[in-house]
Every structure is written in structure tokens, then in C-alpha cells.
Amino acid sequence: MPSGPRRSWKPTAFPADPEATRRVREWLAEEGYSLNGVEHDFRGADLSGGDFSSSWFTQAVLAGVRLAGASFYRADLQSADLAGADLTGADLVRANLDGAVLRSARLDGADMVKASLHGADASGASFRGTRIMGASLFGADMRGADLTDAVLFQNTFKVTVDDSTVVRGLTGTVFGPITLSASASSRQLAGAELEEWIGGRGGQVEVIAPRRPPQ
């Protein structure tokens, strides 16, 4: 963590919870360590533009928090509650978001290269123009999500979508299959059928065969 930028940066608003505020203030005052926000409640904060690289937010509550342009490079956000959070333009490269709640969160223009979202709830989230390249979305719920102009590259993309999931302008390569959920039933789409489903909704994605282990 670079000490200079951190010392000059201050949150626009601190969390409403006194203990979370204390953690942030101590982290700002010290050099050489990452913020430990495990299980803390950051609601009410505006942490836009902060550098939280390699920090720990495991099971933290960040619902509705403004995090626009913040860096979470290699940060641990496993099982964090980010419902309704604003992560516009955030750096989430190699971030651990396994089991995180991203319902209705805004991740437009975020960089999620090689992020992990196993089992994440991203229903209703916005990923407009987001780079999700090389990310693992195994078991992620993307029903109602907006993936307009998002970019994929060899993504593990075993996600659940529905007819309200927007894929207009979605490009790249993925490993399928996905699960298409409907009110009464669900079915899996893979290969050419998955390409056709995305193509019929304005996207252009190539579905690639799973890598076979060496003999």
C-alpha cells in the first residue's frame, strides 16, 4: 500500500458505526498494513477513491456504501454485503467476492479481471462496460443483471440468468453452461445454443469447450 496517497486521501463520509470509523482512522494514521474491516458495519460511509488493496472485508456490511473508483486489488470481500453499493469504476482485480451479496449494486466500468465470484448474489446488479475478463462466476446469480457492453475472456460462466438479464453488447469468450431460470422451470444452455441465446439479445460471445486435463 503506498503511504503517500493513503495519507492524502480521506473519506468523504465515515461509517455511522463508531467501531468501523475507528478502524478506518487508525488505518489512515498508520503505514504498512491493510485495513481489517472483517465483520464491521461500514454503512453510511463514502469511501470513493480509497485504496483498499489487500484489505480484509470478509463478512463486512457495505450495503449502500459509495465506493466509486476505489481499489480493492486482491482484497478479501468474501461473504460481504454490498447490496446497493456504488462500485462504479472500482478496481476489483483478483478480488475475492465469493459468496458476496451484490444485489442491485452498481459496478459500471469496474475492472474485475480474475476476480472470484463463486456463489455471489449479483441479481439486479449493473455491470455496464465492466471488464470481467478471466473472472470465475461459478454459481453466481445474475438474474436481472445488466451486462450491457461488458467484456469477458475465458470466464467460468456457470451463472443463473433469466429473461430480464441484459446482455446487449456483451462480448468475449466463456465456458458454459449457464442456467436460464423461468418462473416454472429452468434449463441449461451451452455451446451453440448459449451463443444463440446471447446473440438474440444483442451480444456476441463465443462459448469455448472446457479444457481437458492432460492424459
Side-chain angles (χ1 to χ4, degrees), residues 3-191:
S3 58
R6 183 198 292 177
R7 285 184 174 277
S8 62
W9 176 83
K10 294 291 186 293
T12 302
F14 282 92
D17 179 69
E19 180 58 25
T21 291
R22 184 182 70 80
R23 290 279 176 138
V24 174
R25 289 189 183 278
E26 288 181 352
W27 169 74
L28 288 167
E30 297 292 333
E31 295 182 27
Y33 77 98
S34 301
L35 175 62
N36 183 351
V38 174
E39 297 183 348
H40 282 78
D41 188 343
F42 292 88
R43 285 177 296 180
D46 184 342
L47 305 176
S48 298
D51 186 350
F52 304 101
S53 300
S54 300
S55 291
W56 293 278
F57 291 96
T58 313
Q59 297 183 335
V61 180
L62 293 147
V65 174
R66 292 203 70 242
L67 301 161
S71 176
F72 293 93
Y73 174 72
R74 288 189 180 275
D76 191 337
L77 292 144
Q78 185 172 355
S79 300
D81 183 357
L82 290 147
D86 183 359
L87 288 147
T88 302
D91 177 359
L92 290 156
V93 174
R94 296 185 180 273
N96 178 5
L97 289 152
D98 292 349
V101 177
L102 291 160
R103 283 193 304 270
S104 301
R106 186 174 180 182
L107 297 111
D108 299 344
D111 193 344
M112 303 186 74
V113 172
K114 295 190 176 180
S116 182
L117 291 91
H118 285 222
D121 180 358
S123 54
S126 182
F127 296 91
R128 296 174 68 92
T130 303
R131 283 165 32 98
I132 320 176
M133 302 165 70
S136 180
L137 293 96
F138 188 89
D141 185 350
M142 304 194 86
R143 289 175 293 180
D146 186 350
L147 292 156
T148 299
D149 296 330
V151 182
L152 311 171
F153 178 74
Q154 296 187 357
N155 289 70
T156 301
F157 205 61
K158 292 185 178 181
V159 301
T160 299
V161 300
D162 60 14
D163 283 332
S164 66
T165 303
V166 181
V167 294
R168 184 176 55 255
L170 178 67
T171 58
T173 54
V174 299
F175 299 102
I178 67 169
T179 299
L180 177 60
S181 177
S183 56
S185 62
S186 62
R187 63 190 179 99
Q188 287 195 333
L189 301 177

